[in-house]
Amino acid sequence: MVTLLVTAVLASAIALRSSSDFVARFGDLLAVLLYLFTPWTAINLVDFYLVRHGHYSIREIFNAHGMYRRWNWRGLAAYGLGFAAMIPFFSTACISGQLRAHSGRGSGHAGWTAVAGVAYLVACRSMNVDRDRSQAAAADAGLETADDPRLVTRL
């Protein structure tokens, strides 16, 4: 609660201080969030559709010492590369990349999103996906599945 209160006070003070151009500052905030989340989204989509094909262990996701570990070096490296590839195209009041004039406002995320996805896909070539799939199945043994008849409700 204290953290939320401090954050609310700081956010309110910043908003009141820059109220003369609030819409532009809010647009810059949204652009920065777009720049931060775009490589992460590309990595998640590549992992789900191309690497693991939707096979994850529910129990292991919450186990810091389990098969997914606390940190995924492949994902972090791909995120760093993808984010670095977008920096020259940034277009905000505070940060302006050198190549933004050639690409138009907000296009730093468009084509360079593929850098993070491709980097992650290449990094995952050393991963044993079949072993991970069998570990996930073993870890989740005993969990209810969607086709479990006990989950069917009658209307």
Side-chain angles (χ1 to χ4, degrees):
M1 291 304 291
V2 172
T3 304
L4 290 174
L5 182 62
V6 169
T7 303
V9 168
L10 285 174
S12 298
I14 292 169
L16 290 173
R17 182 173 172 264
S18 63
S19 63
S20 62
D21 200 11
F22 176 76
V23 173
R25 297 292 74 84
F26 189 69
D28 288 344
L29 171 69
L30 293 178
V32 169
L33 289 176
L34 179 69
Y35 296 142
L36 289 172
F37 287 127
T38 301
W40 176 73
T41 303
I43 292 166
N44 279 328
L45 290 171
V46 167
D47 188 68
F48 187 86
Y49 288 107
L50 301 177
V51 176
R52 298 183 195 273
H53 302 287
H55 296 283
Y56 295 94
S57 168
I58 302 301
R59 288 184 177 151
E60 289 295 306
I61 288 173
F62 299 103
N63 183 359
H65 303 291
M67 65 185 279
Y68 302 124
R69 307 271 182 217
R70 188 177 306 254
W71 302 101
N72 181 345
W73 69 266
R74 292 172 180 93
L76 290 173
Y79 182 87
L81 283 172
F83 189 78
M86 290 191 312
I87 290 174
F89 299 94
F90 282 4
S91 178
T92 67
C94 300
I95 304 168
S96 291
Q98 297 84 1
L99 300 176
R100 75 177 173 89
H102 302 293
S103 62
R105 180 170 171 81
S107 64
H109 63 282
W112 296 103
T113 302
V115 172
V118 169
Y120 183 72
L121 190 60
V122 169
C124 287
R125 292 180 70 201
S126 65
M127 201 168 79
N128 187 344
V129 179
D130 292 330
R131 184 193 70 213
D132 283 0
R133 189 172 293 149
S134 64
Q135 283 180 335
D140 288 346
L143 290 180
E144 297 173 340
T145 61
D147 54 346
D148 190 339
R150 294 176 294 173
L151 297 177
V152 176
T153 58
R154 297 179 196 264
L155 298 178

